[in-house]
PDB file of all heavy atoms in Angstrom:
ATOM      1  N   VAL A   1      26.281 -30.473 -73.498  1.00 76.00           N
ATOM      2  CA  VAL A   1      25.783 -29.584 -72.448  1.00 76.00           C
ATOM      3  C   VAL A   1      26.645 -28.340 -72.355  1.00 76.00           C
ATOM      4  O   VAL A   1      26.140 -27.217 -72.208  1.00 76.00           O
ATOM      5  CB  VAL A   1      25.744 -30.321 -71.091  1.00 76.00           C
ATOM      6  CG1 VAL A   1      25.465 -29.336 -69.962  1.00 76.00           C
ATOM      7  CG2 VAL A   1      24.680 -31.410 -71.108  1.00 76.00           C
ATOM      8  N   ALA A   2      27.969 -28.493 -72.444  1.00 80.00           N
ATOM      9  CA  ALA A   2      28.876 -27.345 -72.360  1.00 80.00           C
ATOM     10  C   ALA A   2      28.601 -26.352 -73.490  1.00 80.00           C
ATOM     11  O   ALA A   2      28.560 -25.139 -73.263  1.00 80.00           O
ATOM     12  CB  ALA A   2      30.327 -27.827 -72.409  1.00 80.00           C
ATOM     13  N   ALA A   3      28.403 -26.854 -74.703  1.00 76.00           N
ATOM     14  CA  ALA A   3      28.111 -25.970 -75.840  1.00 76.00           C
ATOM     15  C   ALA A   3      26.792 -25.236 -75.631  1.00 76.00           C
ATOM     16  O   ALA A   3      26.675 -24.035 -75.899  1.00 76.00           O
ATOM     17  CB  ALA A   3      28.063 -26.790 -77.131  1.00 76.00           C
ATOM     18  N   PHE A   4      25.813 -25.962 -75.115  1.00 77.00           N
ATOM     19  CA  PHE A   4      24.500 -25.358 -74.899  1.00 77.00           C
ATOM     20  C   PHE A   4      24.543 -24.313 -73.783  1.00 77.00           C
ATOM     21  O   PHE A   4      23.953 -23.241 -73.894  1.00 77.00           O
ATOM     22  CB  PHE A   4      23.482 -26.451 -74.560  1.00 77.00           C
ATOM     23  CG  PHE A   4      22.077 -25.944 -74.403  1.00 77.00           C
ATOM     24  CD1 PHE A   4      21.346 -25.561 -75.505  1.00 77.00           C
ATOM     25  CD2 PHE A   4      21.500 -25.829 -73.147  1.00 77.00           C
ATOM     26  CE1 PHE A   4      20.052 -25.081 -75.372  1.00 77.00           C
ATOM     27  CE2 PHE A   4      20.215 -25.357 -72.999  1.00 77.00           C
ATOM     28  CZ  PHE A   4      19.490 -24.978 -74.114  1.00 77.00           C
ATOM     29  N   VAL A   5      25.262 -24.611 -72.699  1.00 80.00           N
ATOM     30  CA  VAL A   5      25.382 -23.656 -71.595  1.00 80.00           C
ATOM     31  C   VAL A   5      26.088 -22.385 -72.071  1.00 80.00           C
ATOM     32  O   VAL A   5      25.727 -21.268 -71.679  1.00 80.00           O
ATOM     33  CB  VAL A   5      26.137 -24.293 -70.404  1.00 80.00           C
ATOM     34  CG1 VAL A   5      26.506 -23.236 -69.365  1.00 80.00           C
ATOM     35  CG2 VAL A   5      25.280 -25.376 -69.764  1.00 80.00           C
ATOM     36  N   GLY A   6      27.099 -22.539 -72.910  1.00 82.00           N
ATOM     37  CA  GLY A   6      27.774 -21.371 -73.474  1.00 82.00           C
ATOM     38  C   GLY A   6      26.815 -20.477 -74.231  1.00 82.00           C
ATOM     39  O   GLY A   6      26.858 -19.245 -74.123  1.00 82.00           O
ATOM     40  N   TYR A   7      25.935 -21.101 -74.979  1.00 78.00           N
ATOM     41  CA  TYR A   7      24.907 -20.366 -75.722  1.00 78.00           C
ATOM     42  C   TYR A   7      23.986 -19.587 -74.769  1.00 78.00           C
ATOM     43  O   TYR A   7      23.690 -18.411 -74.979  1.00 78.00           O
ATOM     44  CB  TYR A   7      24.112 -21.368 -76.564  1.00 78.00           C
ATOM     45  CG  TYR A   7      22.720 -20.965 -76.942  1.00 78.00           C
ATOM     46  CD1 TYR A   7      22.491 -20.071 -77.976  1.00 78.00           C
ATOM     47  CD2 TYR A   7      21.607 -21.500 -76.282  1.00 78.00           C
ATOM     48  CE1 TYR A   7      21.201 -19.716 -78.342  1.00 78.00           C
ATOM     49  CE2 TYR A   7      20.322 -21.155 -76.633  1.00 78.00           C
ATOM     50  CZ  TYR A   7      20.129 -20.256 -77.670  1.00 78.00           C
ATOM     51  OH  TYR A   7      18.853 -19.900 -78.024  1.00 78.00           O
ATOM     52  N   LEU A   8      23.565 -20.226 -73.682  1.00 78.00           N
ATOM     53  CA  LEU A   8      22.682 -19.566 -72.718  1.00 78.00           C
ATOM     54  C   LEU A   8      23.369 -18.393 -72.032  1.00 78.00           C
ATOM     55  O   LEU A   8      22.750 -17.359 -71.768  1.00 78.00           O
ATOM     56  CB  LEU A   8      22.200 -20.577 -71.674  1.00 78.00           C
ATOM     57  CG  LEU A   8      21.321 -21.725 -72.173  1.00 78.00           C
ATOM     58  CD1 LEU A   8      20.919 -22.616 -71.009  1.00 78.00           C
ATOM     59  CD2 LEU A   8      20.086 -21.191 -72.886  1.00 78.00           C
ATOM     60  N   LEU A   9      24.650 -18.521 -71.738  1.00 81.00           N
ATOM     61  CA  LEU A   9      25.389 -17.435 -71.100  1.00 81.00           C
ATOM     62  C   LEU A   9      25.491 -16.214 -72.012  1.00 81.00           C
ATOM     63  O   LEU A   9      25.434 -15.072 -71.546  1.00 81.00           O
ATOM     64  CB  LEU A   9      26.798 -17.922 -70.711  1.00 81.00           C
ATOM     65  CG  LEU A   9      26.857 -18.922 -69.551  1.00 81.00           C
ATOM     66  CD1 LEU A   9      28.285 -19.419 -69.349  1.00 81.00           C
ATOM     67  CD2 LEU A   9      26.314 -18.294 -68.260  1.00 81.00           C
ATOM     68  N   ILE A  10      25.608 -16.458 -73.298  1.00 81.00           N
ATOM     69  CA  ILE A  10      25.636 -15.346 -74.252  1.00 81.00           C
ATOM     70  C   ILE A  10      24.294 -14.608 -74.244  1.00 81.00           C
ATOM     71  O   ILE A  10      24.235 -13.375 -74.257  1.00 81.00           O
ATOM     72  CB  ILE A  10      25.976 -15.859 -75.668  1.00 81.00           C
ATOM     73  CG1 ILE A  10      27.415 -16.369 -75.710  1.00 81.00           C
ATOM     74  CG2 ILE A  10      25.789 -14.743 -76.703  1.00 81.00           C
ATOM     75  CD1 ILE A  10      27.798 -17.032 -77.006  1.00 81.00           C
ATOM     76  N   LEU A  11      23.194 -15.359 -74.198  1.00 74.00           N
ATOM     77  CA  LEU A  11      21.868 -14.735 -74.134  1.00 74.00           C
ATOM     78  C   LEU A  11      21.730 -13.865 -72.888  1.00 74.00           C
ATOM     79  O   LEU A  11      21.216 -12.740 -72.946  1.00 74.00           O
ATOM     80  CB  LEU A  11      20.769 -15.797 -74.131  1.00 74.00           C
ATOM     81  CG  LEU A  11      20.594 -16.666 -75.373  1.00 74.00           C
ATOM     82  CD1 LEU A  11      19.345 -17.521 -75.231  1.00 74.00           C
ATOM     83  CD2 LEU A  11      20.516 -15.828 -76.630  1.00 74.00           C
ATOM     84  N   LEU A  12      22.186 -14.380 -71.766  1.00 76.00           N
ATOM     85  CA  LEU A  12      22.119 -13.621 -70.517  1.00 76.00           C
ATOM     86  C   LEU A  12      22.956 -12.348 -70.616  1.00 76.00           C
ATOM     87  O   LEU A  12      22.546 -11.276 -70.165  1.00 76.00           O
ATOM     88  CB  LEU A  12      22.609 -14.490 -69.353  1.00 76.00           C
ATOM     89  CG  LEU A  12      22.602 -13.835 -67.957  1.00 76.00           C
ATOM     90  CD1 LEU A  12      21.182 -13.412 -67.581  1.00 76.00           C
ATOM     91  CD2 LEU A  12      23.168 -14.790 -66.920  1.00 76.00           C
ATOM     92  N   GLY A  13      24.141 -12.473 -71.225  1.00 82.00           N
ATOM     93  CA  GLY A  13      24.999 -11.304 -71.400  1.00 82.00           C
ATOM     94  C   GLY A  13      24.343 -10.230 -72.249  1.00 82.00           C
ATOM     95  O   GLY A  13      24.448  -9.029 -71.954  1.00 82.00           O
ATOM     96  N   ILE A  14      23.633 -10.645 -73.293  1.00 78.00           N
ATOM     97  CA  ILE A  14      22.921  -9.688 -74.144  1.00 78.00           C
ATOM     98  C   ILE A  14      21.833  -8.972 -73.356  1.00 78.00           C
ATOM     99  O   ILE A  14      21.627  -7.762 -73.488  1.00 78.00           O
ATOM    100  CB  ILE A  14      22.327 -10.397 -75.378  1.00 78.00           C
ATOM    101  CG1 ILE A  14      23.446 -10.862 -76.316  1.00 78.00           C
ATOM    102  CG2 ILE A  14      21.356  -9.473 -76.132  1.00 78.00           C
ATOM    103  CD1 ILE A  14      22.974 -11.718 -77.464  1.00 78.00           C
ATOM    104  N   GLY A  15      21.123  -9.709 -72.505  1.00 74.00           N
ATOM    105  CA  GLY A  15      20.079  -9.100 -71.678  1.00 74.00           C
ATOM    106  C   GLY A  15      20.640  -8.053 -70.742  1.00 74.00           C
ATOM    107  O   GLY A  15      20.085  -6.963 -70.595  1.00 74.00           O
ATOM    108  N   ILE A  16      21.770  -8.364 -70.087  1.00 78.00           N
ATOM    109  CA  ILE A  16      22.403  -7.417 -69.170  1.00 78.00           C
ATOM    110  C   ILE A  16      22.911  -6.193 -69.933  1.00 78.00           C
ATOM    111  O   ILE A  16      22.736  -5.042 -69.505  1.00 78.00           O
ATOM    112  CB  ILE A  16      23.559  -8.102 -68.412  1.00 78.00           C
ATOM    113  CG1 ILE A  16      23.000  -9.214 -67.512  1.00 78.00           C
ATOM    114  CG2 ILE A  16      24.356  -7.097 -67.595  1.00 78.00           C
ATOM    115  CD1 ILE A  16      24.069 -10.091 -66.890  1.00 78.00           C
ATOM    116  N   TYR A  17      23.524  -6.428 -71.089  1.00 78.00           N
ATOM    117  CA  TYR A  17      24.042  -5.335 -71.917  1.00 78.00           C
ATOM    118  C   TYR A  17      22.935  -4.376 -72.345  1.00 78.00           C
ATOM    119  O   TYR A  17      23.119  -3.161 -72.392  1.00 78.00           O
ATOM    120  CB  TYR A  17      24.736  -5.928 -73.154  1.00 78.00           C
ATOM    121  CG  TYR A  17      25.009  -4.932 -74.252  1.00 78.00           C
ATOM    122  CD1 TYR A  17      26.080  -4.048 -74.171  1.00 78.00           C
ATOM    123  CD2 TYR A  17      24.175  -4.881 -75.382  1.00 78.00           C
ATOM    124  CE1 TYR A  17      26.314  -3.131 -75.192  1.00 78.00           C
ATOM    125  CE2 TYR A  17      24.411  -3.970 -76.402  1.00 78.00           C
ATOM    126  CZ  TYR A  17      25.487  -3.092 -76.304  1.00 78.00           C
ATOM    127  OH  TYR A  17      25.711  -2.184 -77.306  1.00 78.00           O
ATOM    128  N   SER A  18      21.754  -4.907 -72.634  1.00 74.00           N
ATOM    129  CA  SER A  18      20.650  -4.100 -73.161  1.00 74.00           C
ATOM    130  C   SER A  18      19.829  -3.417 -72.074  1.00 74.00           C
ATOM    131  O   SER A  18      19.019  -2.536 -72.391  1.00 74.00           O
ATOM    132  CB  SER A  18      19.707  -4.996 -73.985  1.00 74.00           C
ATOM    133  OG  SER A  18      20.413  -5.719 -74.958  1.00 74.00           O
ATOM    134  N   SER A  19      20.011  -3.791 -70.833  1.00 73.00           N
ATOM    135  CA  SER A  19      19.097  -3.353 -69.769  1.00 73.00           C
ATOM    136  C   SER A  19      19.097  -1.847 -69.564  1.00 73.00           C
ATOM    137  O   SER A  19      18.050  -1.240 -69.329  1.00 73.00           O
ATOM    138  CB  SER A  19      19.441  -4.062 -68.461  1.00 73.00           C
ATOM    139  OG  SER A  19      20.759  -3.751 -68.056  1.00 73.00           O
ATOM    140  N   ARG A  20      20.254  -1.213 -69.651  1.00 71.00           N
ATOM    141  CA  ARG A  20      20.318   0.234 -69.403  1.00 71.00           C
ATOM    142  C   ARG A  20      19.535   1.006 -70.461  1.00 71.00           C
ATOM    143  O   ARG A  20      18.752   1.899 -70.142  1.00 71.00           O
ATOM    144  CB  ARG A  20      21.776   0.693 -69.380  1.00 71.00           C
ATOM    145  CG  ARG A  20      21.930   2.168 -69.030  1.00 71.00           C
ATOM    146  CD  ARG A  20      23.387   2.547 -68.882  1.00 71.00           C
ATOM    147  NE  ARG A  20      23.535   3.959 -68.560  1.00 71.00           N
ATOM    148  CZ  ARG A  20      24.700   4.569 -68.384  1.00 71.00           C
ATOM    149  NH1 ARG A  20      25.827   3.866 -68.485  1.00 71.00           N
ATOM    150  NH2 ARG A  20      24.736   5.855 -68.105  1.00 71.00           N
ATOM    151  N   PHE A  21      19.750   0.666 -71.729  1.00 73.00           N
ATOM    152  CA  PHE A  21      19.035   1.349 -72.809  1.00 73.00           C
ATOM    153  C   PHE A  21      17.528   1.132 -72.693  1.00 73.00           C
ATOM    154  O   PHE A  21      16.741   2.066 -72.828  1.00 73.00           O
ATOM    155  CB  PHE A  21      19.531   0.824 -74.162  1.00 73.00           C
ATOM    156  CG  PHE A  21      18.725   1.312 -75.330  1.00 73.00           C
ATOM    157  CD1 PHE A  21      18.917   2.575 -75.859  1.00 73.00           C
ATOM    158  CD2 PHE A  21      17.748   0.496 -75.913  1.00 73.00           C
ATOM    159  CE1 PHE A  21      18.166   3.029 -76.936  1.00 73.00           C
ATOM    160  CE2 PHE A  21      16.994   0.930 -76.979  1.00 73.00           C
ATOM    161  CZ  PHE A  21      17.210   2.208 -77.506  1.00 73.00           C
ATOM    162  N   SER A  22      17.117  -0.093 -72.421  1.00 70.00           N
ATOM    163  CA  SER A  22      15.694  -0.419 -72.400  1.00 70.00           C
ATOM    164  C   SER A  22      14.970   0.158 -71.195  1.00 70.00           C
ATOM    165  O   SER A  22      13.735   0.162 -71.163  1.00 70.00           O
ATOM    166  CB  SER A  22      15.515  -1.943 -72.432  1.00 70.00           C
ATOM    167  OG  SER A  22      16.015  -2.471 -73.634  1.00 70.00           O
ATOM    168  N   SER A  23      15.710   0.645 -70.204  1.00 71.00           N
ATOM    169  CA  SER A  23      15.093   1.228 -69.006  1.00 71.00           C
ATOM    170  C   SER A  23      14.712   2.692 -69.201  1.00 71.00           C
ATOM    171  O   SER A  23      14.079   3.295 -68.333  1.00 71.00           O
ATOM    172  CB  SER A  23      16.046   1.101 -67.807  1.00 71.00           C
ATOM    173  OG  SER A  23      16.298  -0.255 -67.504  1.00 71.00           O
ATOM    174  N   GLU A  24      15.086   3.292 -70.330  1.00 74.00           N
ATOM    175  CA  GLU A  24      14.871   4.723 -70.529  1.00 74.00           C
ATOM    176  C   GLU A  24      13.400   5.077 -70.736  1.00 74.00           C
ATOM    177  O   GLU A  24      12.949   6.167 -70.370  1.00 74.00           O
ATOM    178  CB  GLU A  24      15.705   5.214 -71.715  1.00 74.00           C
ATOM    179  CG  GLU A  24      17.209   5.135 -71.454  1.00 74.00           C
ATOM    180  CD  GLU A  24      18.029   5.586 -72.647  1.00 74.00           C
ATOM    181  OE1 GLU A  24      17.427   6.065 -73.639  1.00 74.00           O
ATOM    182  OE2 GLU A  24      19.259   5.453 -72.600  1.00 74.00           O
ATOM    183  N   GLY A  25      12.628   4.202 -71.357  1.00 76.00           N
ATOM    184  CA  GLY A  25      11.214   4.491 -71.603  1.00 76.00           C
ATOM    185  C   GLY A  25      10.538   3.339 -72.325  1.00 76.00           C
ATOM    186  O   GLY A  25      11.203   2.404 -72.782  1.00 76.00           O
ATOM    187  N   ILE A  26       9.199   3.417 -72.458  1.00 77.00           N
ATOM    188  CA  ILE A  26       8.503   2.282 -73.070  1.00 77.00           C
ATOM    189  C   ILE A  26       8.749   2.190 -74.572  1.00 77.00           C
ATOM    190  O   ILE A  26       8.658   1.123 -75.153  1.00 77.00           O
ATOM    191  CB  ILE A  26       6.985   2.307 -72.778  1.00 77.00           C
ATOM    192  CG1 ILE A  26       6.336   3.612 -73.251  1.00 77.00           C
ATOM    193  CG2 ILE A  26       6.724   2.067 -71.304  1.00 77.00           C
ATOM    194  CD1 ILE A  26       4.832   3.574 -73.164  1.00 77.00           C
ATOM    195  N   SER A  27       9.075   3.319 -75.215  1.00 79.00           N
ATOM    196  CA  SER A  27       9.434   3.239 -76.627  1.00 79.00           C
ATOM    197  C   SER A  27      10.711   2.413 -76.785  1.00 79.00           C
ATOM    198  O   SER A  27      10.812   1.572 -77.681  1.00 79.00           O
ATOM    199  CB  SER A  27       9.648   4.639 -77.215  1.00 79.00           C
ATOM    200  OG  SER A  27      10.090   4.550 -78.553  1.00 79.00           O
ATOM    201  N   GLU A  28      11.683   2.643 -75.902  1.00 78.00           N
ATOM    202  CA  GLU A  28      12.923   1.866 -75.928  1.00 78.00           C
ATOM    203  C   GLU A  28      12.661   0.415 -75.541  1.00 78.00           C
ATOM    204  O   GLU A  28      13.229  -0.509 -76.135  1.00 78.00           O
ATOM    205  CB  GLU A  28      13.946   2.482 -74.967  1.00 78.00           C
ATOM    206  CG  GLU A  28      14.580   3.780 -75.439  1.00 78.00           C
ATOM    207  CD  GLU A  28      13.648   4.978 -75.295  1.00 78.00           C
ATOM    208  OE1 GLU A  28      12.608   4.852 -74.602  1.00 78.00           O
ATOM    209  OE2 GLU A  28      13.943   6.036 -75.877  1.00 78.00           O
ATOM    210  N   PHE A  29      11.793   0.198 -74.547  1.00 76.00           N
ATOM    211  CA  PHE A  29      11.542  -1.164 -74.055  1.00 76.00           C
ATOM    212  C   PHE A  29      10.791  -2.010 -75.078  1.00 76.00           C
ATOM    213  O   PHE A  29      11.083  -3.195 -75.242  1.00 76.00           O
ATOM    214  CB  PHE A  29      10.743  -1.108 -72.748  1.00 76.00           C
ATOM    215  CG  PHE A  29      10.671  -2.429 -72.032  1.00 76.00           C
ATOM    216  CD1 PHE A  29      11.746  -2.887 -71.281  1.00 76.00           C
ATOM    217  CD2 PHE A  29       9.541  -3.226 -72.104  1.00 76.00           C
ATOM    218  CE1 PHE A  29      11.694  -4.112 -70.623  1.00 76.00           C
ATOM    219  CE2 PHE A  29       9.480  -4.455 -71.451  1.00 76.00           C
ATOM    220  CZ  PHE A  29      10.566  -4.892 -70.704  1.00 76.00           C
ATOM    221  N   PHE A  30       9.818  -1.406 -75.794  1.00 77.00           N
ATOM    222  CA  PHE A  30       8.957  -2.193 -76.683  1.00 77.00           C
ATOM    223  C   PHE A  30       9.365  -2.171 -78.153  1.00 77.00           C
ATOM    224  O   PHE A  30       9.115  -3.139 -78.873  1.00 77.00           O
ATOM    225  CB  PHE A  30       7.504  -1.741 -76.558  1.00 77.00           C
ATOM    226  CG  PHE A  30       6.861  -2.153 -75.260  1.00 77.00           C
ATOM    227  CD1 PHE A  30       6.234  -1.218 -74.456  1.00 77.00           C
ATOM    228  CD2 PHE A  30       6.897  -3.461 -74.834  1.00 77.00           C
ATOM    229  CE1 PHE A  30       5.651  -1.585 -73.257  1.00 77.00           C
ATOM    230  CE2 PHE A  30       6.320  -3.840 -73.625  1.00 77.00           C
ATOM    231  CZ  PHE A  30       5.696  -2.897 -72.837  1.00 77.00           C
ATOM    232  N   ILE A  31       9.996  -1.067 -78.635  1.00 78.00           N
ATOM    233  CA  ILE A  31      10.415  -1.039 -80.054  1.00 78.00           C
ATOM    234  C   ILE A  31      11.816  -0.480 -80.231  1.00 78.00           C
ATOM    235  O   ILE A  31      12.172   0.012 -81.303  1.00 78.00           O
ATOM    236  CB  ILE A  31       9.415  -0.255 -80.946  1.00 78.00           C
ATOM    237  CG1 ILE A  31       9.237   1.176 -80.433  1.00 78.00           C
ATOM    238  CG2 ILE A  31       8.095  -0.973 -81.068  1.00 78.00           C
ATOM    239  CD1 ILE A  31       8.485   2.067 -81.419  1.00 78.00           C
ATOM    240  N   GLY A  32      12.617  -0.570 -79.168  1.00 80.00           N
ATOM    241  CA  GLY A  32      14.020  -0.160 -79.281  1.00 80.00           C
ATOM    242  C   GLY A  32      14.219   1.302 -79.613  1.00 80.00           C
ATOM    243  O   GLY A  32      15.254   1.675 -80.195  1.00 80.00           O
ATOM    244  N   GLY A  33      13.243   2.150 -79.257  1.00 81.00           N
ATOM    245  CA  GLY A  33      13.370   3.580 -79.527  1.00 81.00           C
ATOM    246  C   GLY A  33      13.406   3.920 -81.005  1.00 81.00           C
ATOM    247  O   GLY A  33      13.847   5.004 -81.404  1.00 81.00           O
ATOM    248  N   ARG A  34      12.957   3.015 -81.845  1.00 85.00           N
ATOM    249  CA  ARG A  34      13.025   3.164 -83.303  1.00 85.00           C
ATOM    250  C   ARG A  34      14.458   3.463 -83.756  1.00 85.00           C
ATOM    251  O   ARG A  34      14.704   4.300 -84.625  1.00 85.00           O
ATOM    252  CB  ARG A  34      12.065   4.268 -83.789  1.00 85.00           C
ATOM    253  CG  ARG A  34      10.713   3.730 -84.195  1.00 85.00           C
ATOM    254  CD  ARG A  34       9.824   4.820 -84.771  1.00 85.00           C
ATOM    255  NE  ARG A  34       9.078   5.478 -83.730  1.00 85.00           N
ATOM    256  CZ  ARG A  34       7.892   5.082 -83.284  1.00 85.00           C
ATOM    257  NH1 ARG A  34       7.334   4.025 -83.813  1.00 85.00           N
ATOM    258  NH2 ARG A  34       7.273   5.729 -82.341  1.00 85.00           N
ATOM    259  N   LYS A  35      15.402   2.737 -83.176  1.00 86.00           N
ATOM    260  CA  LYS A  35      16.823   2.952 -83.494  1.00 86.00           C
ATOM    261  C   LYS A  35      17.514   1.664 -83.930  1.00 86.00           C
ATOM    262  O   LYS A  35      18.740   1.565 -83.901  1.00 86.00           O
ATOM    263  CB  LYS A  35      17.544   3.517 -82.265  1.00 86.00           C
ATOM    264  CG  LYS A  35      17.037   4.885 -81.815  1.00 86.00           C
ATOM    265  CD  LYS A  35      17.745   5.341 -80.549  1.00 86.00           C
ATOM    266  CE  LYS A  35      17.200   6.688 -80.073  1.00 86.00           C
ATOM    267  NZ  LYS A  35      17.831   7.122 -78.795  1.00 86.00           N
ATOM    268  N   MET A  36      16.735   0.682 -84.348  1.00 86.00           N
ATOM    269  CA  MET A  36      17.316  -0.624 -84.644  1.00 86.00           C
ATOM    270  C   MET A  36      17.963  -0.658 -86.032  1.00 86.00           C
ATOM    271  O   MET A  36      17.412  -0.141 -87.007  1.00 86.00           O
ATOM    272  CB  MET A  36      16.251  -1.710 -84.540  1.00 86.00           C
ATOM    273  CG  MET A  36      15.550  -1.760 -83.175  1.00 86.00           C
ATOM    274  SD  MET A  36      16.664  -1.894 -81.777  1.00 86.00           S
ATOM    275  CE  MET A  36      17.394  -3.485 -82.084  1.00 86.00           C
ATOM    276  N   ASN A  37      19.120  -1.289 -86.092  1.00 90.00           N
ATOM    277  CA  ASN A  37      19.885  -1.431 -87.321  1.00 90.00           C
ATOM    278  C   ASN A  37      19.162  -2.304 -88.349  1.00 90.00           C
ATOM    279  O   ASN A  37      18.438  -3.230 -87.994  1.00 90.00           O
ATOM    280  CB  ASN A  37      21.246  -2.043 -86.956  1.00 90.00           C
ATOM    281  CG  ASN A  37      22.099  -2.354 -88.151  1.00 90.00           C
ATOM    282  OD1 ASN A  37      21.990  -3.421 -88.745  1.00 90.00           O
ATOM    283  ND2 ASN A  37      22.948  -1.415 -88.507  1.00 90.00           N
ATOM    284  N   ARG A  38      19.385  -2.035 -89.625  1.00 92.00           N
ATOM    285  CA  ARG A  38      18.689  -2.750 -90.709  1.00 92.00           C
ATOM    286  C   ARG A  38      18.992  -4.248 -90.712  1.00 92.00           C
ATOM    287  O   ARG A  38      18.140  -5.070 -91.040  1.00 92.00           O
ATOM    288  CB  ARG A  38      19.061  -2.139 -92.060  1.00 92.00           C
ATOM    289  CG  ARG A  38      20.559  -2.204 -92.387  1.00 92.00           C
ATOM    290  CD  ARG A  38      20.885  -1.454 -93.667  1.00 92.00           C
ATOM    291  NE  ARG A  38      22.306  -1.608 -94.014  1.00 92.00           N
ATOM    292  CZ  ARG A  38      22.849  -1.115 -95.121  1.00 92.00           C
ATOM    293  NH1 ARG A  38      22.101  -0.438 -95.974  1.00 92.00           N
ATOM    294  NH2 ARG A  38      24.130  -1.300 -95.375  1.00 92.00           N
ATOM    295  N   PHE A  39      20.224  -4.620 -90.354  1.00 90.00           N
ATOM    296  CA  PHE A  39      20.591  -6.033 -90.331  1.00 90.00           C
ATOM    297  C   PHE A  39      19.892  -6.754 -89.183  1.00 90.00           C
ATOM    298  O   PHE A  39      19.379  -7.867 -89.351  1.00 90.00           O
ATOM    299  CB  PHE A  39      22.106  -6.172 -90.188  1.00 90.00           C
ATOM    300  CG  PHE A  39      22.603  -7.585 -90.263  1.00 90.00           C
ATOM    301  CD1 PHE A  39      22.653  -8.258 -91.476  1.00 90.00           C
ATOM    302  CD2 PHE A  39      23.032  -8.252 -89.125  1.00 90.00           C
ATOM    303  CE1 PHE A  39      23.119  -9.562 -91.557  1.00 90.00           C
ATOM    304  CE2 PHE A  39      23.495  -9.555 -89.187  1.00 90.00           C
ATOM    305  CZ  PHE A  39      23.547 -10.213 -90.406  1.00 90.00           C
ATOM    306  N   VAL A  40      19.855  -6.107 -88.018  1.00 88.00           N
ATOM    307  CA  VAL A  40      19.170  -6.682 -86.854  1.00 88.00           C
ATOM    308  C   VAL A  40      17.690  -6.886 -87.171  1.00 88.00           C
ATOM    309  O   VAL A  40      17.111  -7.928 -86.869  1.00 88.00           O
ATOM    310  CB  VAL A  40      19.336  -5.778 -85.619  1.00 88.00           C
ATOM    311  CG1 VAL A  40      18.506  -6.302 -84.452  1.00 88.00           C
ATOM    312  CG2 VAL A  40      20.810  -5.695 -85.211  1.00 88.00           C
ATOM    313  N   ILE A  41      17.068  -5.871 -87.788  1.00 90.00           N
ATOM    314  CA  ILE A  41      15.644  -5.963 -88.129  1.00 90.00           C
ATOM    315  C   ILE A  41      15.393  -7.079 -89.138  1.00 90.00           C
ATOM    316  O   ILE A  41      14.423  -7.845 -89.024  1.00 90.00           O
ATOM    317  CB  ILE A  41      15.134  -4.615 -88.682  1.00 90.00           C
ATOM    318  CG1 ILE A  41      15.079  -3.567 -87.563  1.00 90.00           C
ATOM    319  CG2 ILE A  41      13.751  -4.775 -89.324  1.00 90.00           C
ATOM    320  CD1 ILE A  41      14.164  -3.918 -86.410  1.00 90.00           C
ATOM    321  N   ALA A  42      16.265  -7.201 -90.132  1.00 91.00           N
ATOM    322  CA  ALA A  42      16.088  -8.237 -91.157  1.00 91.00           C
ATOM    323  C   ALA A  42      16.053  -9.619 -90.535  1.00 91.00           C
ATOM    324  O   ALA A  42      15.149 -10.418 -90.799  1.00 91.00           O
ATOM    325  CB  ALA A  42      17.215  -8.147 -92.185  1.00 91.00           C
ATOM    326  N   LEU A  43      17.032  -9.905 -89.677  1.00 88.00           N
ATOM    327  CA  LEU A  43      17.113 -11.234 -89.074  1.00 88.00           C
ATOM    328  C   LEU A  43      16.052 -11.430 -88.007  1.00 88.00           C
ATOM    329  O   LEU A  43      15.434 -12.500 -87.911  1.00 88.00           O
ATOM    330  CB  LEU A  43      18.511 -11.461 -88.483  1.00 88.00           C
ATOM    331  CG  LEU A  43      19.521 -12.121 -89.417  1.00 88.00           C
ATOM    332  CD1 LEU A  43      19.705 -11.308 -90.694  1.00 88.00           C
ATOM    333  CD2 LEU A  43      20.869 -12.281 -88.703  1.00 88.00           C
TER     334      LEU A  43
END
């Protein structure tokens, strides 16, 4: 449970980290403003 909760907290942290960028417009919210890194897109 501890390992799994740690995983969930990381997901929440990513959501909070991304919120400011994604609030700029619907292009940012739906396709990341067409600024996504090649490695991120691959995975």
Side-chain angles (χ1 to χ4, degrees):
V1 170
F4 184 73
V5 169
Y7 156 78
L8 296 181
L9 289 175
I10 293 174
L11 295 187
L12 180 60
I14 291 173
I16 295 171
Y17 165 78
S18 307
S19 61
R20 184 174 179 181
F21 172 80
S22 296
S23 297
E24 294 178 6
I26 57 171
S27 176
E28 286 76 13
F29 191 78
F30 288 127
I31 57 169
R34 267 184 272 272
K35 297 177 182 177
M36 303 306 296
N37 175 274
R38 60 186 184 176
F39 185 74
V40 174
I41 290 300
L43 268 58

